[in-house]
């Protein structure tokens, strides 16, 4: 019994440390990379190569004055950052860093992660509503629409992987990947990454905090440590999404020669750098275009992916892997090109009487 | 059963990251759709027209810098030309060529800034902005060589210029002219074929032809709606009738057209610059102008094609050394006359795109 | 080149259309009385040989006996220009008919003239101060408004 408590304590500390340190490194990495994309060096004053910049940001956020709008709903205002941040931390409990090295090896691992990640939506909405500010309210309304609609393609894209593995446990999924699932499920990877970027509000779907339109969306009125928690939550969520993508599609901690934890971190960094690249390059979509993209494009694609995977498993379970990969990639391109012809992205002008 | 909804009044306040200055818009929203729009001006009103009446004509030149502060050279030119017409001062050849060179460089710099901020409003987090500012920086350095300033140049004088161009100017300008077309092609390729930019700007915020003429729009906004009207071609001033250049016209009048016209205009400016640099004569740069200018009594309305549109000056002189009436015809303010018709029915995100594509600078709207 | 219209010819054409109005066409502008201004503007846009469809500039100037309202007009179809003026002699309560229904571009410029000179435009679609705040006393661009320095 005391084994259980020691194991729990050790992993809690490791996970907390890992998340906080990774988030700091990610913040630094993002600012330097976006700087280089924009032909400028990025932060390079605080410490060598700007490595102390995130620490400077953290200290700044901690010592700022905590302002609460006078008409805000104080209880909800105070709780919202917690409700948004805690589920993100809970997600890390079921992600394997090496074979069996995780807080708890749930046999419903991925289901638990998806369920817990949906709770952050409530936190964001609480923040937007309780601020009693019209900009925050606009951001909160957009949040509900976007995040709830993108849950469905997210879950469906993962089901393909679950069918190939036969189990919901994250560790089993990694062990079942002799060939990384990105090759066997390219369409699933594409849908998962798009839906996950929409869930964590990264460009091109970052209209929830669109700086050029609604100033800062749901966290306009937040300052001090509460804002720091939202900031932390955003990066921790991106870290979690990258970690899940690595586990499900890129083969998790598997890799030759080096220690598994090293491979895991390298793959997470790869996915994260891709997400930064997309952020630095693409402009933002409008809310009705985002909804159309999720419902009319990603949802049918993920359903088609599910049906095709089911066919492959039932009809041709012993087919040569290379042929299967070729078929899957061809099917992905074919479906994407076909679907993109057939739908209109967003409404036009609404006539006002 | 109908759902009861309520309209929602939002204040896109004077302090906002995308209002290009201090500008306030009160919009009435039904969900995300804008049903009504009311612009509120005056946050940058400094009373320039009244102040100018208390200073001599020469002392008013710095006021013109601060109108459209991203296009100082063209503002100076418009004012200086108006006073020269009033007082009958002629400008020597070399000065006219230098004026054309500086005007066209200013047009390119202003369009780069306008387009960069427009793409910023669309959400491309400053990446295109910084790329365009890389070129604008080279142009601003050229201006720094001539006038010593990076933003409000105050370089033109009645009859020409006080100081000639420094020797480093022309070689640096030639290097810039060789590299600039490549960069303009790069912008066009990177941005104009981007799916997201296309779906956010094509068909959005259409300004119809008749409304454009009726609401006194000018410059790229007017030409994007299909009207062939450019002061450099229709009412030539300075020596523009010696240069060969095209006037880009678009057909639809939507946001994408207003964006595209500015890219095409930059290319035409490079063409004019090449011709001007080739033909630049030697000679004096200052005509005969008295030290204390007292133009004869009378009035004049003279205009140029600035980067934002038709910039005109209406001056009334009563024979003294201070103007009696000093009026600026502000292209940015008049381009905003039809804002309500362009925006109603679209969503909040489109408001920023449409507003950014009109490309205003608050210094000129409020004066 | 934008050709400036020949003012005596213009006066003749307008007097034929609207008999009984007073126009003066000596010099470089057309001078119309304030009551007839709206009708003259309507004819200037509708007569096919003139067609002044583009209002370039609408402004005012304060002279000692009157406030002068100046219209600079352009015709995009014919590439011509014309200057039309009117003089309001009642400086306590200057007013004239608004031309917003003819040229939409006059809306903001008439608000500016109201704000800075105090001229009231009848039938405007929303005449209120544009640059100065509500409750400001006085009209700054008039010559009798002296502000400290």
């Amino acid at each position: 019994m005391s084994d259980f408590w020691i194991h729990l304590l050790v992993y809690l500390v490791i996970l907390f440390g890992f998340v906080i340190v990774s988030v700091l490194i990610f913040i630094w990495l993002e600012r330097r990379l976006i700087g280089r994309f924009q032909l400028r060096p990025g932060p390079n004053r605080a410490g060598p190569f700007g490595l102390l910049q995130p620490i400077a940001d953290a200290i700044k956020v901690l010592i700022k004055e905590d302002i609460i709008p006078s008409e805000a709903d104080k209880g909800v205002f105070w709780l919202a950052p917690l409700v948004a941040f805690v589920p993100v931390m809970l997600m890390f409990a079921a992600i394997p860093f090496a074979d069996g090295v995780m807080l708890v090896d749930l046999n419903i691992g991925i289901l638990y992660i998806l369920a817990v990640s949906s709770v952050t939506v409530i936190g964001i909405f609480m923040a937007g509503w309780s601020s009693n500010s019209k900009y925050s309210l606009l951001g909160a309304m957009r949040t509900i629409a976007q995040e709830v609609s993108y849950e469905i393609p997210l879950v469906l894209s993962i089901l393909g992987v679950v069918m190939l593995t036969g189990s919901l446990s994250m560790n089993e999924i990694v062990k079942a990947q002799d060939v990384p699932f990105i090759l066997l499920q390219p369409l699933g990877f594409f849908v998962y990454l798009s839906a996950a970027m929409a869930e964590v509000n990264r460009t091109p779907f970052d209209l929830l905090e669109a700086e050029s339109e609604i100033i800062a969306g749901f966290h306009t009125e937040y300052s001090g440590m509460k804002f720091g928690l939202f900031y932390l939550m955003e990066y921790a969520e991106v870290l979690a999404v990258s970690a899940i993508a690595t586990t499900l599609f890129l083969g998790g901690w598997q890799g030759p020669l080096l220690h598994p934890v090293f491979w895991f971190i390298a793959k997470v960094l790869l996915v994260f750098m891709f997400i930064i690249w997309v952020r630095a390059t693409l402009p933002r979509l409008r809310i009705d275009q985002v909804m159309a993209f999720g419902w009319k494009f990603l949802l049918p694609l993920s359903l088609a992916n599910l049906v095709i995977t089911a066919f492959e498993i039932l009809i041709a379970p012993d087919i040569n892997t290379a042929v299967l990969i070729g078929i899957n990639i061809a099917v992905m391109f074919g479906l994407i090109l076909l679907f993109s012809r057939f739908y209109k992205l967003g409404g036009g002008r609404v006539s006002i009487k | 059963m109908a759902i009861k909804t309520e309209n929602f009044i939002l204040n896109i306040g004077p302090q906002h990251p995308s209002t290009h200055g201090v500008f306030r818009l009160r919009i009435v929203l039904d969900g995300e759709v804008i049903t009504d729009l009311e612009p509120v001006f005056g946050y940058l009103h400094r009373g320039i027209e009244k102040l100018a009446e208390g200073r001599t004509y020469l002392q008013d030149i710095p006021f013109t810098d601060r109108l459209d502060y991203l296009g100082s050279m063209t503002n100076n030119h418009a004012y200086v030309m108006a006073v020269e017409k009033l007082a009958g001062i002629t400008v020597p050849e070399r000065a006219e060529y230098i004026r054309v060179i500086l005007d066209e460089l200013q047009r390119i710099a202003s369009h780069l800034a306008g387009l960069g901020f427009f793409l910023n409003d669309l959400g491309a987090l400053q990446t295109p902005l910084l790329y365009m500012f890389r070129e604008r920086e080279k142009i601003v350095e050229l201006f720094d060589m001539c006038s010593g300033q990076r933003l409000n140049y105050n370089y033109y004088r009645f009859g020409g210029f006080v100081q000639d161009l420094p020797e480093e100017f022309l070689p640096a300008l030639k290097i810039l002219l060789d590299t600039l077309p490549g960069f303009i092609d790069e912008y066009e390729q990177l941005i104009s074929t981007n799916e997201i930019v296309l779906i956010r700007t094509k068909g959005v915020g259409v300004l119809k032809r008749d409304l454009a003429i009726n609401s006194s729009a000018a410059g790229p906004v007017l030409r994007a709606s299909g009207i062939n009207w450019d002061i450099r071609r229709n009412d030539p001033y300075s020596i523009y009738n010696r240069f060969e250049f095209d006037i880009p016209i678009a057909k639809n009048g939507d946001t994408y057209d207003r964006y595209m016209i500015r890219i095409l205009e930059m290319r035409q400016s490079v063409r004019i610059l090449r011709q001007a640099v080739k033909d630049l004569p030697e000679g004096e740069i200052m005509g005969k102008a008295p030290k204390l200018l007292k133009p004869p009594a009378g009035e004049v309305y003279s205009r140029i094609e600035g980067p934002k549109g038709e910039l005109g000056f209406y001056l009334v002189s009563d024979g003294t050394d201070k103007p009696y009436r000093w009026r600026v015809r502000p292209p940015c303010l008049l381009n905003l006359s039809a804002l309500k018709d362009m925006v109603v029915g679209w969503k909040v995100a489109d408001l920023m795109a449409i507003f950014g594509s009109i490309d205003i600078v608050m210094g000129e709207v409020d004066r | 080149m934008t050709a400036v219209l020949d003012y005596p010819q213009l006066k003749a054409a307008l007097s034929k259309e609207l008999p009984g109005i007073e126009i003066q066409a000596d010099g470089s502008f057309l001078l119309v009385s304030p009551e007839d201004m709206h009708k003259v503007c309507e004819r200037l846009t509708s007569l096919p040989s003139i067609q002044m469809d583009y209002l370039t500039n609408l402004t005012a100037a304060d002279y000692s006996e009157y406030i002068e309202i100046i219209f600079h007009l352009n015709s995009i179809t014919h590439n011509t220009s014309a200057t039309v003026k009117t003089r309001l002699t009642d400086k306590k309560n200057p007013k004239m008919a608004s031309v917003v229904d003819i040229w939409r571009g006059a809306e903001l410029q008439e608000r500016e003239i109201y704000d800075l000179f105090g001229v009231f435009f009848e039938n405007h679609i929303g005449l209120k101060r544009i640059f100065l705040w509500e409750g400001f006393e006085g009209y700054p661009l008039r010559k009798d408004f002296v502000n400290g320095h």
Side-chain angles (χ1 to χ4, degrees):
Chain A
M1 198 46 196
S2 59
D3 266 351
F4 167 73
W5 288 110
I6 294 179
H7 175 98
L8 180 66
L9 216 56
V10 165
Y11 268 99
L12 271 180
V13 170
I14 292 179
L15 272 181
F16 249 115
F18 173 71
V19 168
I20 304 266
V21 170
S22 304
V23 166
L24 286 179
I25 294 181
F26 275 17
I27 293 178
W28 174 83
L29 187 64
E30 168 156 32
R31 291 181 69 171
R32 293 286 294 191
L33 264 184
I34 288 194
R36 293 255 64 122
F37 275 114
Q38 295 175 347
L39 305 174
R40 58 186 175 92
N44 59 359
R45 296 279 170 202
F49 294 108
L51 279 168
L52 296 180
Q53 179 74 36
I55 301 186
D57 280 342
I59 298 178
K60 174 196 82 169
V61 153
L62 280 171
I63 62 180
K64 278 215 180 198
E65 181 189 350
D66 206 5
I67 303 177
I68 303 185
S70 59
E71 299 289 323
D73 190 341
K74 297 203 178 29
V76 179
F77 193 81
W78 190 87
L79 262 183
L82 289 176
V83 174
F85 182 64
V86 167
V88 176
M89 285 300 294
L90 287 178
M91 274 205 263
F92 284 97
I95 296 181
F97 294 88
D99 193 355
V101 174
M102 45 211 283
L103 181 59
V104 52
D105 191 357
L106 288 174
N107 55 359
I108 51 159
I110 190 65
L111 183 62
Y112 161 77
I113 290 179
L114 286 173
V116 156
S117 70
S118 316
V119 182
T120 52
V121 180
I122 302 184
I124 295 177
F125 185 61
M126 282 165 67
W129 179 263
S130 66
S131 302
N132 198 33
S133 144
K134 286 178 180 166
Y135 287 115
S136 309
L137 190 61
L138 261 183
M141 293 199 289
R142 289 177 178 184
T143 303
I144 299 289
Q146 179 175 314
E147 302 223 352
V148 168
S149 356
Y150 275 80
E151 290 281 345
I152 305 180
L154 190 73
V155 172
L156 287 178
S157 63
I158 294 179
L159 278 181
V161 168
V162 170
M163 281 206 293
L164 281 178
T165 313
S167 151
L168 286 171
S169 154
M170 295 287 268
N171 216 11
E172 290 299 319
I173 293 178
V174 174
K175 287 213 249 215
Q177 290 187 47
D178 315 312
V179 175
F181 282 155
I182 184 176
L183 295 171
L184 292 175
Q185 291 268 295
L187 193 54
F189 180 66
F190 166 72
V191 174
Y192 174 74
L193 209 55
S194 310
M197 281 207 281
E199 284 288 318
V200 301
N201 312 332
R202 296 289 280 188
T203 322
F205 305 106
D206 69 340
L207 38 112
L208 275 62
E209 38 166 66
E211 191 198 317
S212 59
E213 293 161 27
I214 48 177
I215 303 186
F218 60 92
H219 57 73
T220 313
E221 303 290 338
Y222 279 84
S223 61
M225 194 53 208
K226 299 198 188 76
F227 174 73
L229 269 181
F230 274 121
Y231 201 52
L232 206 61
M233 172 207 86
E234 178 179 338
Y235 282 95
E237 238 186 326
V238 178
L239 172 62
V241 156
S242 312
I244 298 173
T246 316
T247 316
L248 292 178
F249 292 98
L250 293 179
W253 40 259
Q254 285 174 339
L257 291 180
L258 296 164
H259 193 268
V261 177
F262 172 78
W263 277 111
F264 179 74
I265 294 184
K267 289 179 193 176
V268 168
L269 270 180
L270 197 67
V271 177
F272 182 64
M273 287 207 269
F274 177 73
I275 295 182
I276 297 180
W277 184 14
V278 171
R279 180 180 189 202
T281 323
L282 291 178
R284 190 180 292 139
L285 285 172
R286 207 173 59 202
I287 182 71
D288 57 323
Q289 292 162 348
V290 165
M291 303 302 286
F293 186 69
W295 287 101
K296 294 198 240 176
F297 188 70
L298 287 185
L299 181 60
L301 273 182
S302 50
L303 281 174
N305 183 36
L306 209 57
V307 168
I308 293 175
T309 313
F311 263 141
E312 285 169 2
I313 294 181
L314 281 179
I315 295 180
D318 298 318
I319 197 174
N320 182 10
T321 322
V323 171
L324 191 58
I325 292 174
I327 294 180
N328 276 341
I329 293 183
V331 162
M332 167 176 104
F333 279 114
L335 274 180
I336 289 183
L337 285 171
L338 190 69
F339 266 96
S340 54
R341 295 265 166 270
F342 275 126
Y343 81 113
K344 198 164 76 84
L345 195 55
R349 186 177 202 169
V350 175
S351 62
I352 305 288
K353 298 289 170 295
Chain B
M1 178 183 99
I3 308 179
K4 177 171 170 300
T5 56
E6 227 178 75
N7 278 345
F8 182 76
I9 298 184
L10 184 65
N11 205 5
I12 309 277
Q15 287 143 327
H16 192 273
S18 347
T19 50
H20 296 252
V22 273
F23 184 55
R24 183 171 156 210
L25 284 165
R26 291 182 79 239
I27 53 181
V28 178
L29 293 175
D30 178 14
E32 282 252 351
V33 175
I34 299 180
T35 51
D36 197 9
L37 175 92
E38 186 198 327
V40 178
F41 303 94
Y43 287 90
L44 198 52
H45 180 67
R46 297 156 286 179
I48 285 187
E49 298 192 353
K50 179 83 177 178
L51 288 174
E53 290 174 10
R55 285 162 173 67
T56 65
Y57 287 91
L58 188 64
Q59 289 173 327
D60 286 336
I61 298 183
F63 280 139
T64 59
D65 287 324
R66 282 137 179 98
L67 290 172
D68 166 11
Y69 37 79
L70 291 178
S72 280
M73 292 287 192
T74 41
N75 296 348
N76 278 350
H77 189 178
Y79 175 60
V80 156
M81 211 168 76
V83 176
E84 284 163 3
K85 265 194 209 164
L86 199 53
I89 303 175
T90 48
V91 181
E93 281 290 300
R94 185 177 165 86
E96 290 278 21
Y97 273 89
I98 296 180
R99 282 186 180 181
V100 169
I101 291 177
L102 292 174
D103 273 4
E104 293 306 314
L105 274 176
Q106 182 68 79
R107 192 183 311 272
I108 298 176
S110 173
H111 282 330
L112 283 172
L115 287 177
F117 285 114
F118 165 64
L119 287 162
N120 201 19
D121 291 342
L122 277 187
L125 297 166
Q126 283 108 23
T127 308
L129 176 67
L130 285 167
Y131 274 66
M132 291 184 181
F133 263 55
R134 174 187 58 182
E135 263 59 61
R136 192 189 137 95
E137 185 63 23
K138 298 178 190 156
I139 297 179
V140 165
E141 274 179 9
L142 281 174
F143 287 153
D144 191 0
M145 264 186 232
C146 307
S147 66
Q149 287 256 34
R150 284 170 58 95
L151 194 64
N152 295 323
Y153 310 116
N154 190 13
Y155 190 47
Y156 290 53
R157 297 283 179 275
F158 308 126
F161 302 94
V162 162
Q163 268 187 334
D164 203 345
L165 300 171
E167 300 118 24
E168 315 85 66
F169 186 86
L170 277 176
L173 179 59
K174 288 194 178 106
I175 297 178
L176 179 67
L177 285 178
D178 289 330
T179 54
L180 202 50
F183 286 122
I184 300 179
D185 288 336
E186 183 186 289
Y187 303 140
E188 188 172 354
Q189 187 197 15
L190 278 179
I191 297 165
S192 319
T193 48
N194 185 327
E195 269 290 322
I196 299 187
V197 173
L198 285 177
I199 54 177
R200 287 233 17 214
T201 56
K202 269 218 184 275
V204 172
V206 174
L207 180 63
K208 295 214 175 57
R209 208 198 132 91
D210 294 326
L211 186 58
I213 298 183
N214 205 322
S215 60
S216 305
V221 176
L222 190 66
R223 291 194 282 278
S225 298
I227 297 149
N228 191 347
W229 181 257
D230 186 330
I231 311 276
R232 295 176 289 172
R233 180 56 57 74
N234 296 73
D235 192 8
Y237 54 95
S238 184
I239 46 169
Y240 272 101
N241 43 9
R242 298 187 204 175
F243 296 111
E244 213 181 277
F245 57 99
D246 298 323
I247 310 281
I249 313 270
K251 285 198 277 289
N252 300 330
D254 58 10
T255 305
Y256 182 73
D257 281 339
R258 287 190 279 271
Y259 155 77
M260 210 51 206
I261 292 254
R262 292 195 170 97
I263 299 248
L264 297 173
E265 276 189 7
M266 284 203 279
R267 290 213 177 98
Q268 297 303 317
S269 289
V270 172
R271 209 167 143 193
I272 298 178
L273 275 171
R274 286 214 174 99
Q275 295 168 44
V277 168
K278 196 161 63 95
D279 297 334
L280 181 63
E282 297 298 327
E284 50 180 39
I285 48 157
M286 186 66 161
K288 286 207 183 343
K291 275 274 183 299
L292 193 57
L293 187 65
K294 285 195 193 169
E299 63 179 44
V300 69
Y301 176 69
S302 103
R303 55 197 181 165
I304 66 156
E305 179 77 16
K308 310 280 191 301
E310 174 188 329
L311 176 64
F313 273 85
Y314 174 66
L315 300 174
V316 176
S317 154
D318 55 354
T320 61
D321 57 348
K322 301 189 163 70
Y324 189 80
R325 173 79 173 104
W326 198 92
R327 150 88 179 166
V328 180
R329 186 246 186 228
C332 295
L333 178 68
L334 297 175
N335 285 348
L336 284 182
S337 315
L339 185 66
K340 185 168 162 181
D341 287 55
M342 282 199 261
V343 167
V344 160
W346 294 100
K347 302 190 174 44
V348 177
D350 301 309
L351 167 67
M352 296 308 163
I354 298 171
F355 191 67
S357 75
I358 303 181
D359 189 17
I360 67 164
V361 171
M362 283 317 284
E364 200 167 54
V365 172
D366 285 340
R367 275 158 290 135
Chain C
M1 262 323 264
T2 305
V4 182
L5 281 186
D6 185 46
Y7 290 108
Q9 264 183 4
L10 189 57
K11 170 180 172 172
L14 284 170
S15 306
K16 206 163 56 145
E17 280 282 320
L18 300 164
I21 57 168
E22 341 165 347
I23 311 186
Q24 282 167 278
D26 35 297
S28 58
F29 54 86
L30 205 66
L31 186 61
V32 182
S33 73
E35 300 81 33
D36 303 323
M37 195 62 193
H38 194 260
K39 294 196 283 262
V40 167
C41 289
E42 273 181 354
R43 291 299 180 287
L44 285 172
T45 43
S46 58
L47 285 176
S49 58
I50 306 178
Q51 251 186 313
M52 290 284 163
D53 45 8
Y54 189 76
L55 173 70
T56 300
N57 187 22
L58 169 57
T59 183
D62 182 20
Y63 295 97
S64 44
E65 293 108 43
Y66 48 81
I67 294 184
E68 189 171 79
I69 313 276
I70 302 118
F71 289 68
H72 288 104
L73 303 168
N74 257 122
S75 166
I76 295 206
T77 33
H78 300 296
N79 200 5
T80 51
S81 74
T83 309
V84 186
K85 296 193 192 184
T86 180
R87 295 187 178 155
L88 305 169
T89 42
D90 178 8
K91 279 178 86 166
K92 286 225 182 343
N93 266 330
K95 56 176 185 258
M96 64 178 265
S98 161
V99 295
V100 156
D101 47 340
I102 309 175
W103 295 293
R104 181 73 185 276
E107 177 190 347
L108 294 174
Q109 303 189 81
E110 282 182 354
R111 274 178 70 182
E112 184 179 343
I113 299 178
Y114 171 65
D115 188 7
L116 300 173
F117 285 92
V119 176
F120 186 78
F121 288 93
E122 292 151 359
N123 304 325
H124 192 271
I125 47 184
L127 191 69
K128 51 184 181 170
R129 285 193 183 261
I130 182 171
F131 294 134
L132 298 167
W133 58 94
E134 305 289 329
F136 187 87
E137 302 273 332
Y139 301 108
L141 273 181
R142 290 211 190 180
K143 291 295 176 182
D144 48 15
F145 187 95
V146 176
N147 193 5
H149 83 110

